[in-house]
Amino acid sequence: MKKLLVLMLSGAAISASPALAQTADDYEDSGSWSFTVTPRYQKLFFLPDFEADGLESMDTWGASIAARAPDGRFGVMATYLRSRGSGIYTYDDDIFTADYDYRARRNELAITGEYTPSEANVTLLAGYHRFSAGNDERRLDLAPGDSEVGSYRVSIDAAEIGVRFNSALGANSRHSLSAQFSIGVGPGRYRSVVTESFGGTQTVTNINENGTGYMGDIALGYNVFLTDNIALGTRIRGYVYYVDARGSDPIFAVAPELNLSFRF
């Protein structure tokens, strides 16, 4: 039985804030809030199954919208990412080889509050993180009259905490590095329905279980500030999502992202 998107190579530090200032004291207190919009693009590479013979890929698009208090110490950000992809992959283990047509999707939503102490390059993070993924697949290389169809879903609604470090590469430098670490826990669900028909006999395997969901996320980033209000950034991210339920496998990821931040 196929497992849902057991390995992904994706992009985007989902709660990584645009680094248009290194510390809270880098903000000029104008008496009004500042807003940052960050379009994001990533190429999502994944294995539809542990035994898949090679990686598949799909495009991911999304954006972040962040708001910062006049003194730069408090802020809030919302990020949404959406992935869709389809294709054919080959399942290959020690027993048999088979080809599957798949339709995969992934969505992430994070709403994060931030606090940056005065004269510090450390930002404390806390918020809500929603992750959901799905895959529908159909076996292709079967005799007439036989069929195998699978549908897989996983979702997690987690409370998340973390910390981010920002550092300019020298005094008055327009280049900066960032590192972010976060963990989350909350309710999760794993669902799968596999229908097999061979020789006129049909078998249906149905799993629909709730369990505790876990998230772990590490992101490293680099930014170059084209102007005081525009930054071009790239990140490398590693994460794991897991629902402690029967039949569920961890979803791992390592990935690149390209983004562009505009502050108003």
Side-chain angles (χ1 to χ4, degrees), residues 6 20 22 34 80 90 103-104 115 128 158 166 241 254:
V6 294
L20 286 170
Q22 301 309 311
S34 65
Y80 176 71
T90 299
R103 299 289 184 273
Y115 172 68
Y128 164 76
N166 287 321
Y241 296 142
V254 176

Side-chain angles (χ1 to χ4, degrees), residues 59-74:
D59 293 326
T60 297
W61 300 90
S64 299
I65 300 176
R68 275 275 175 177
D71 63 3
R73 288 170 174 76
F74 295 94

Side-chain angles (χ1 to χ4, degrees), residues 160-182:
E160 193 171 45
I161 59 173
V163 60
R164 183 175 63 249
F165 303 91
N166 287 321
S167 179
L169 298 180
N172 301 318
S173 174
R174 289 192 172 273
H175 303 268
S176 73
L177 298 176
S178 64
Q180 179 170 310
F181 309 89
S182 60

Side-chain angles (χ1 to χ4, degrees), residues 23-224:
T23 71
D25 297 290
D26 289 331
Y27 281 82
E28 295 183 4
D29 191 344
S30 63
S32 61
W33 284 65
S34 65
F35 298 88
T36 303
V37 178
T38 306
R40 301 180 183 272
Y41 170 76
Q42 59 181 268
K43 189 71 172 180
L44 188 95
F45 299 93
F46 65 96
L47 280 170
D49 189 276
F50 274 122
E51 303 294 343
D53 186 14
L55 293 171
E56 299 294 318
S57 67
M58 54 184 168
D59 293 326
T60 297
W61 300 90
S64 299
I65 300 176
R68 275 275 175 177
D71 63 3
R73 288 170 174 76
F74 295 94
V76 63
M77 184 174 70
T79 298
Y80 176 71
L81 297 171
R82 181 179 186 271
S83 306
R84 295 292 185 274
S86 61
I88 297 173
Y89 77 90
T90 299
Y91 177 94
D92 188 2
D93 65 9
D94 296 334
I95 300 175
F96 77 101
T97 299
D99 293 328
Y100 289 85
D101 177 84
Y102 74 87
R103 299 289 184 273
R105 55 203 171 278
R106 185 196 74 158
N107 294 281
E108 285 190 76
L109 171 67
I111 301 174
T112 307
E114 305 182 352
Y115 172 68
T116 304
S118 178
E119 299 181 355
N121 63 351
V122 178
T123 299
L124 305 178
L125 311 170
Y128 164 76
H129 192 157
R130 164 77 175 180
F131 173 83
S132 63
N135 187 26
D136 297 316
E137 60 184 37
R138 176 176 56 90
R139 186 172 170 182
L140 298 176
D141 53 349
L142 290 173
D146 293 341
S147 66
E148 179 185 334
V149 178
S151 176
Y152 308 91
R153 304 287 185 273
V154 65
S155 63
I156 301 174
D157 293 278
E160 193 171 45
I161 59 173
V163 60
R164 183 175 63 249
F165 303 91
N166 287 321
S167 179
L169 298 180
N172 301 318
S173 174
R174 289 192 172 273
H175 303 268
S176 73
L177 298 176
S178 64
Q180 179 170 310
F181 309 89
S182 60
I183 57 174
V185 63
R189 172 174 287 187
Y190 175 72
R191 291 166 288 172
S192 69
V193 179
V194 179
T195 303
E196 298 174 296
S197 296
F198 293 100
T201 301
Q202 185 179 86
T203 302
V204 178
T205 303
N206 191 335
I207 299 175
N208 188 353
E209 290 196 0
N210 296 325
T212 303
Y214 301 94
M215 298 180 177
D217 202 308
I218 299 175
L220 305 176
Y222 163 77
N223 294 274
V224 56

